[in-house]
Amino acid sequence: MQDKDFMRQAIRLADESVARGGGPFGAVIVRDSEIIAGSSNSVTLDNDPTAHAEVNAIRLACRKLGTYDLKGCTIYTSCEPCPMCLGAIYWAHIDRIFYANDRKDAAAIGFDDDFIYKELDLPMPKRTLPILPLLRDEAIHTFNLWDAKSDKIEY
């Protein structure tokens, strides 16, 4: 399959999601010209604000491949990834992202991810959501345990 065919699969998943009552987003993850996983947005269906198409597809692909590292994979998503999904894509080490609709298209139908992008550019004290440090002197102990651990699996 070619890139356009994979994107059409992501769009098909988005269409099917709308028909089932889910959000209008779909994603497929491909490695070596084979679809490893595909999913759609199930935020309202699962009552899970993290159940975006990209995150759902990443979870499925990782389970299928038995790894947390999706190097060598490409994700095709029916819309430009939101900041959460973009972060998940980076953490999964996916090689490339193809997207169809962009964040302005999403904002036009009520999905204003641009708000979060703008928030991330602000210093913490100026953000809408208060983000306050607390008990670092107690929590640093856990990081020291991790740092000293000789058999850890770094990711």
Side-chain angles (χ1 to χ4, degrees):
M1 284 190 175
Q2 295 187 5
D3 294 327
K4 290 180 181 179
D5 295 321
F6 293 130
M7 183 59 76
R8 286 185 182 106
Q9 290 293 322
I11 294 167
R12 180 186 58 76
L13 289 169
D15 290 346
E16 291 172 359
S17 180
V18 171
R20 283 192 319 274
F25 306 98
V28 296
I29 296 176
V30 173
R31 185 175 72 180
D32 298 329
S33 298
E34 176 189 345
I35 294 177
I36 303 300
S39 193
S40 59
N41 178 292
S42 60
V43 169
T44 57
L45 298 173
D46 295 341
N47 293 316
D48 179 353
T50 69
H52 290 201
E54 298 91 336
V55 172
N56 287 342
I58 288 168
R59 289 173 179 157
L60 289 171
C62 288
R63 276 195 295 270
K64 181 174 181 180
L65 297 174
T67 183
Y68 54 85
D69 189 333
L70 297 177
K71 285 181 186 151
C73 293
T74 299
I75 190 166
Y76 297 81
T77 180
S78 64
C79 187
E80 179 180 358
C82 75
M84 176 185 70
C85 293
L86 188 58
I89 291 165
Y90 272 100
W91 281 116
H93 304 118
I94 292 173
D95 292 356
R96 289 187 306 171
I97 303 168
F98 286 96
Y99 66 92
N101 297 315
D102 64 24
R103 69 174 94 161
K104 291 177 185 165
D105 299 322
I109 61 167
F111 294 93
D112 195 3
D113 300 338
D114 201 44
F115 165 74
I116 299 171
Y117 280 106
K118 288 176 183 173
E119 282 281 299
L120 293 174
D121 281 339
L122 295 173
M124 281 196 214
K126 295 192 178 208
R127 293 183 185 171
T128 304
L129 179 66
I131 304 172
L132 309 165
L134 183 66
L135 296 179
R136 179 188 177 272
D137 55 332
E138 293 180 31
I140 199 69
H141 171 76
T142 309
F143 278 16
N144 292 334
L145 289 173
W146 172 261
D147 192 41
K149 189 171 173 63
S150 63
D151 62 343
K152 63 186 168 221
I153 299 172
E154 297 192 25
Y155 55 95

